[in-house]
Amino acid sequence: MKDNQAKYPQLRFKGFTDPWDKRYLGDYVVDYTEKTTQENQFPVLTSSQQQGIVLQSEYFSDRQVTTDENIGYFVLPRGYFTYRSRSDNNIFVFNRNDIIDKGIISYFYPVFGLINADSNFFLRRINNGLNRQLAIAAEGTGQHVLSLKKFKKMETRFPSLPEQKQIGEFLECLDDLITVNQRKLAKLKELKQGYLQKMFPQNGSKFPQLRFAGFADAWEQRKLGNLGLNISDGDWIEKQHIFENGQYRIIQTGNIGVDEYLDKPQNAKYFRQEDFNQLKANEIFPGDIVVCRLADPAGRAVILPNIGKQMVTSVDVAILRPSSRISFRFLVSQLNNPRNLKQVQIMASGSTRTRISRKNLEREIIQLPNINEQKR
């Protein structure tokens, strides 16, 4: 039954019903062994796990790159694949040259082309479905080495070429959409940082550089602990209280980004009702502000969303509840302002794990206008 399930994906495009065949990767891979010792013959490339194929001069722009032309280079034409054959973390990421017609790359990066396979499908198949097989196939005690010869001997299932093409085209469109939106997101984050600088007073001033019409009064300075907030800590949640399921989702420090809730469902941990009752735990609610007292950076904060579960959090997290004197949306922007994060960093302490105490966190200086301007 399991073997039969492995032959058929759960979701398919209309018109495809044949089982996926088990094939050696070498059935599709063609070695490309053109070499050169002339570094300036073509642009020098490198293969980045995060950025794909990039120009080496741009990738290492912050430091001098030394090369030895006696070692030689592989030629990497457009449309051909490569990967770093030596890995410290046992992760091998394959990339395709989509940036220039021809480049050269270190001999650490085997180069190959394809036959009877769709390039888009193949790229995503090996990068997303074969990670464990690649790691097992790698050899070595320090750096693990995955030779092209070993790679070609690996087996996996492939559909027919027409089905490969449909899947590959679909996934490429999704990747393009992700890339476009990631660029938009990066620009919006950069824009937001600019507004944080201009819409909050800087360098001891009581007036921001940029304001909405109708607001002219000076901003006040108040300690966080003097804003009338209900401030408390999370619970001492020990190892024996943490489970893979339970009544309460534990909001961990890793879930708290800079003004961003990071769900990380694969790391989700839970707290059971009997432990909650025994410890008289502090339940937290959607709309609460949670502030991480651990780096990096300490003092980062987010408004808790409704995740559809009851929640608790650890003692390394401070919990802030409403006050009529301050807008929570405004307060979170202030807490995550680079100036405030730097202020917390100065007050934080610790040799191995930097943290800020609750007492010092309450001394954090918050600049605020009247409640109407805060809400705007």
Side-chain angles (χ1 to χ4, degrees):
M1 181 65 179
K2 287 185 178 180
D3 184 61
N4 192 50
Q5 288 175 337
K7 295 178 182 178
Y8 299 92
Q10 187 176 351
L11 183 64
R12 303 183 83 170
F13 287 101
K14 188 176 180 180
F16 297 104
T17 58
D18 293 339
W20 287 29
D21 294 327
K22 183 172 279 191
R23 303 288 293 271
Y24 290 105
L25 294 179
D27 293 339
Y28 303 106
V29 169
V30 179
D31 296 22
Y32 187 89
T33 56
E34 182 182 353
K35 297 180 181 179
T36 181
T37 57
Q38 300 178 39
E39 184 182 339
N40 60 357
Q41 183 178 3
F42 301 111
V44 183
L45 303 173
T46 194
S47 182
S48 162
Q49 289 188 353
Q50 288 78 32
Q51 300 177 39
I53 301 296
V54 292
L55 291 169
Q56 194 181 76
S57 58
E58 294 179 0
Y59 187 72
F60 294 108
S61 59
D62 60 338
R63 65 180 189 270
Q64 180 68 35
V65 179
T66 58
T67 56
D68 184 352
E69 63 182 27
N70 294 320
I71 294 176
Y73 299 87
F74 286 126
V75 176
L76 178 61
R78 185 186 294 273
Y80 281 71
F81 294 80
T82 190
Y83 65 99
R84 191 175 192 275
S85 60
R86 301 183 182 187
S87 172
D88 295 317
N89 56 11
N90 221 13
I91 295 173
F92 298 90
V93 175
F94 291 71
N95 291 311
R96 183 179 57 201
N97 174 18
D98 294 325
I99 65 169
I100 58 173
D101 289 333
K102 261 190 180 181
I104 56 176
I105 196 161
S106 162
Y107 77 104
F108 287 123
Y109 298 85
V111 177
F112 63 90
L114 298 179
I115 54 170
N116 302 320
D118 179 75
S119 184
N120 289 322
F121 173 87
F122 188 89
L123 182 65
R124 289 154 183 84
R125 179 74 172 136
I126 55 177
N127 277 338
N128 298 288
L130 302 180
N131 311 68
R132 181 168 175 77
Q133 285 176 253
L134 293 168
I136 292 172
E139 300 172 315
T141 54
Q143 282 190 330
H144 293 184
V145 179
L146 179 66
S147 67
L148 186 58
K149 183 179 179 181
K150 194 93 172 180
F151 172 68
K152 289 164 66 176
K153 289 181 179 179
M154 293 174 61
E155 281 187 299
T156 190
R157 293 192 180 276
F158 275 78
S160 65
L161 184 56
E163 188 171 5
Q164 287 182 41
K165 288 181 177 178
Q166 275 218 253
I167 294 172
E169 182 180 349
F170 173 73
L171 294 176
E172 184 182 36
C173 287
L174 285 179
D175 283 342
D176 290 344
L177 186 61
I178 289 168
T179 299
V180 168
N181 282 283
Q182 283 175 334
R183 288 172 183 160
K184 288 181 180 178
L185 178 62
K187 288 180 180 179
L188 286 171
K189 285 184 175 180
E190 186 178 343
L191 181 64
K192 180 181 176 182
Q193 288 303 312
Y195 278 124
L196 283 171
Q197 293 293 323
K198 292 185 177 182
M199 298 187 76
F200 291 83
Q202 303 293 321
N203 303 319
S205 174
K206 295 181 180 180
F207 301 91
Q209 184 180 346
L210 183 66
R211 304 182 84 167
F212 288 105
F215 299 106
D217 293 341
W219 286 33
E220 299 179 358
Q221 289 190 345
R222 292 285 184 272
K223 290 181 180 179
L224 182 64
N226 293 337
L227 293 177
L229 300 166
N230 180 332
I231 304 177
S232 60
D233 281 333
D235 299 297
W236 284 99
I237 300 176
E238 304 288 353
K239 186 177 181 179
Q240 65 268 26
H241 303 137
I242 300 172
F243 297 92
E244 297 300 318
N245 53 67
Q247 182 74 17
Y248 298 87
R249 169 79 179 268
I250 301 172
I251 302 304
Q252 303 172 76
T253 57
N255 296 125
I256 304 173
V258 178
D259 202 4
E260 181 181 11
Y261 175 74
L262 308 172
D263 191 34
K264 300 184 179 181
Q266 70 277 13
N267 298 327
K269 301 298 179 186
Y270 294 88
F271 196 60
R272 293 183 175 173
Q273 187 68 55
E274 52 266 35
D275 293 316
F276 182 91
N277 296 339
Q278 179 186 347
L279 296 177
K280 298 180 180 179
N282 185 9
E283 184 176 355
I284 55 178
F285 303 94
D288 286 347
I289 293 178
V290 285
V291 184
C292 185
R293 299 200 287 112
L294 294 177
D296 189 27
R300 64 190 185 276
V302 69
I303 296 177
L304 273 179
N306 186 346
I307 64 170
K309 284 270 188 183
Q310 290 178 273
M311 298 175 284
V312 293
T313 191
S314 74
V315 73
D316 292 317
V317 177
I319 305 151
L320 279 56
R321 294 209 168 105
S323 161
S324 59
R325 292 195 54 192
I326 193 162
S327 155
F328 256 32
R329 181 65 261 167
F330 170 86
L331 179 57
V332 164
S333 294
Q334 268 283 45
L335 293 172
N336 290 307
N337 189 309
R339 182 187 65 82
N340 280 69
L341 291 175
K342 186 176 180 181
Q343 185 185 158
V344 170
Q345 182 183 354
I346 293 169
M347 293 190 291
S349 61
S351 55
T352 54
R353 299 186 74 190
T354 302
R355 73 176 70 221
I356 185 168
S357 67
R358 242 280 301 287
K359 187 175 181 181
N360 279 338
L361 185 67
E362 292 184 11
R363 291 173 178 162
E364 181 179 354
I365 299 298
I366 303 296
Q367 295 177 296
L368 66 161
N370 64 54
I371 189 66
N372 293 325
E373 189 172 4
Q374 289 177 39
K375 289 178 179 178
R376 285 295 300 273

